[in-house]
Amino acid sequence: MKLLVTGGCGFIGSAFVRLALSRGAEVVNLDKLTYAGNPENVADVADDEGYRFVHADIADAEAVAAAVKGVDAIVNFAAESHVDRSILDPTEFINTDVVGTAVLLEAARTAGVGRFVQVSTDEVYGSIPHGAFRETDPISPSSPYSASKAGGDLQVLAWHRTFGLDAVITRGSNTFGPRQYPEKLIPLFVTNALDGLQLPVYGDGMQVRDWIYVDDHCEGIWTAMTLGEAGEVYNVGGGHEEPNMEITRRILALTGRDESLIRHVADRLGHDRRYALDTTRLRSLGWEPQRSFDEAIAATVEWYRDRRAWWEPIKSGEYRRYYEEQYGAR
Ligand code: NAD
Ligand code: DAU
């Protein structure tokens, strides 16, 4: 099986590239290498026989048409993925998450690609006070990020219904693990805590997220790709719900810091209060998360503790400007 994986130099995409190669697939990794794309994330497989890298934008129709030749499936991870950046400037979110997805779909249709997998997010459903979202629930995104991902999902469904493209959508919950860009809650708080810096908790910190370890998320995508029904959506949730304040306290305990590092700052605009997913549909295909949250968060903190060479260059580069803009005025 030959796969075109887009965004394979990012956090989840790089874990999926590793998984796909370990399963004997050939992988073409097409990535624009934005601030979030890091060739280091796939350095361990860069010389594998079955691996090839293409430096390109998913919105570049010519580059995509060339890359798609001979592939059996496209797995689209490429996206602008951070809610706070979408609030500072939504433009690139539309270019990549909406236009880029449409370009990939057209390339898949034209080349007759056998399966299209759209890696989406639980954020498209919006916030839920009680219970859990099912795949049949309406979407109601809150942020420019989640609206751009919802736009991508709707196009995928349209290409399936109108052109008969064989496509599935996965909607994953909050993912954590090694190689996550340190703008997201867990890697930001872990690396700040390791350096004795403040942990900026938005609002009261009682927002709830449903956490999943990155390898469990990738297994869920693999299951939907290989066993999912065309035209269907599959929720991929870890089932571990926890308020941000609890996550923060765990990180302080695991890094040997105390609560004096916690700083409550102005809340995120349009901040969703709670996410939760019903994963019955994916579980019916045999998938279930393998790692307990306790074990996975401890291993993740350990990874960042041992890999300063991975995150220190990131946090001293372009990131500083973003950090000032995001947290300076709060
Ligand atoms: P990330 O920000 O770490 O990586 C994104 C990757 O996409 C980078 O390598 C970047 O260079 C690449 N990219 C961005 N724009 C591109 C373009 N126009 N053309 C080609 N490549 C481009 O993201 P992530 O956290 O690994 O998320 C991957 C996917 O999973 C995204 O689609 C995201 O919406 C989805 N998702 C993420 C989470 C999460 O918690 N991180 C949860 C559910 C779903
Ligand atoms: O739910 C899936 C989504 O999870 C993915 O689609 C997104 O790509 C991914 O970024 C993530 O979105 P969130 O907005 O939930 O994740 P983030 O890590 O940015 O924030 C998690 C929670 O922590 C959220 O309630 C906001 C809060 N937070 C975040 C940061 C960065 C803080 O309190 N302080 C912070 O500095």
Side-chain angles (χ1 to χ4, degrees), residues 7-8 26 28 43 72 75 78 83 100 144 150 163 190 203 208 258 289 302 308 314:
E26 251 183 89
V28 178
D72 301 300
V75 191
V83 174
F163 305 117
V190 170
V208 173
D258 65 43
E302 199 66 20
R308 278 182 172 273
I314 295 174

Side-chain angles (χ1 to χ4, degrees), residues 80 131 138 171 232 242 244 283 306 313 330:
E80 287 295 333
R171 293 189 177 142
E232 289 295 353
E242 211 163 295
N244 295 338
R283 284 173 189 263
D306 294 345
R330 279 189 136 94

Side-chain angles (χ1 to χ4, degrees), residues 137-215:
D137 286 328
I139 54 176
S140 178
S142 305
S143 70
Y145 161 68
S146 49
S148 71
K149 292 295 291 185
D153 286 16
L154 291 177
Q155 292 174 94
V156 174
L157 295 173
W159 256 256
H160 170 69
R161 286 178 199 153
T162 306
F163 305 117
L165 185 75
D166 180 318
V168 295
I169 296 173
T170 61
R171 293 189 177 142
S173 67
N174 278 67
T175 308
F176 69 101
R179 304 178 187 83
Q180 186 169 27
Y181 195 84
E183 64 191 352
K184 309 280 165 55
L185 179 77
I186 288 182
L188 173 66
F189 280 19
V190 170
T191 55
N192 274 14
L194 288 171
D195 277 349
L197 301 174
Q198 290 188 324
L199 311 186
V201 173
Y202 296 161
D204 63 4
M206 294 312 290
Q207 305 83 4
V208 173
R209 295 293 182 265
D210 170 357
W211 293 96
I212 184 167
Y213 187 63
V214 61
D215 291 345

